[in-house]
Amino acid sequence: MDVDVLATNIGEAFRLRHILAHEAAPRLVVDAETCARALDSVQQWIEAVAAVIWATVYKDVPLSTYEMNMHARGKVQSARTELAKHLRNALEAERKNGSAKWLRENHRDWHRVVTTWAQQTYGRLEGTMWPSVGGYDLADAIAARAKQMAAWVRSTDPG
C-alpha cells in the first residue's frame, strides 16, 4: 500500500463527498473509475485504521474462541488470587476476634453455592463459547467476594 497514493485518493473521495453532500452540483460528473478508486481507498483506509487499533488499543483483546476461553480462565485465576489474599487477611483478623472458624465455614458455604451456580448455569450448556461466558461471570462473582473480604478486614480494623 502506497500511503501517499492512499492519502491522495482519500482526499479526493472526501472532496467529492463534500460536493455531493453540501453543494448543488448538477453538472458534476464522476466517472466509474473515480468511484471505484474512492471506494477502494476508503476500504483500505478502514482496514489500515482497524489494523492500528487492533495492534494498539485492542492488542490484549481475545479474538478466537480459544483466546476468549483462555482470557476468561486468566480472569478467574486473577480473581481467585485476589480473593485468597483478602480471605487470608480476613482470617487473620478473625483469629484475633475468635471468629475464624465461622468465617471459614461461611466461605466454604459461599464457595459451594458459587460452584453449584456456575456448574448449573454454564456447565450443562453445549457450545464453545460457554466457558468464556461462564468464566467471565465466575470471575465477577469471585471478584465481588474479594471486595467483600477486603471490606470485612477494613471494618474489623481497630486502627
Side-chain angles (χ1 to χ4, degrees), residues 6 10 39-53:
L6 177 60
I10 285 287
L39 178 60
D40 185 53
S41 65
V42 169
Q43 287 173 328
Q44 285 182 28
W45 180 259
I46 290 169
E47 289 171 10
V49 169
V52 169
I53 289 172

Side-chain angles (χ1 to χ4, degrees), residues 52-157:
V52 169
I53 289 172
W54 280 103
T56 57
V57 178
Y58 295 143
K59 68 180 174 39
D60 296 323
V61 175
L63 296 175
S64 68
T65 301
Y66 174 79
E67 288 174 341
M68 288 179 204
N69 290 342
M70 291 300 102
H71 190 258
R73 183 179 187 185
K75 288 188 77 68
V76 169
Q77 285 305 111
S78 178
R80 283 182 174 151
T81 299
E82 190 70 11
L83 174 56
K85 176 180 79 173
H86 292 299
L87 185 58
R88 275 191 305 274
N89 292 340
L91 283 168
E92 183 179 321
E94 290 311 308
R95 278 187 202 99
K96 296 174 187 172
N97 296 334
S99 301
K101 180 182 177 193
W102 177 87
L103 182 57
R104 277 193 304 278
E105 290 171 358
N106 175 274
H107 184 71
R108 208 171 297 126
D109 289 344
W110 174 87
H111 185 271
R112 180 185 45 77
V113 167
V114 168
T115 300
T116 301
W117 160 76
Q119 289 171 347
Q120 296 287 331
T121 305
Y122 299 106
R124 296 179 180 180
L125 298 173
E126 293 186 27
T128 58
M129 292 301 295
W130 292 116
S132 299
V133 175
Y136 289 124
D137 284 352
L138 181 58
D140 288 345
I142 295 168
R145 179 67 172 183
K147 286 181 184 177
Q148 290 171 341
M149 290 295 106
W152 183 293
V153 171
R154 284 192 303 275
S155 73
T156 60
D157 185 13

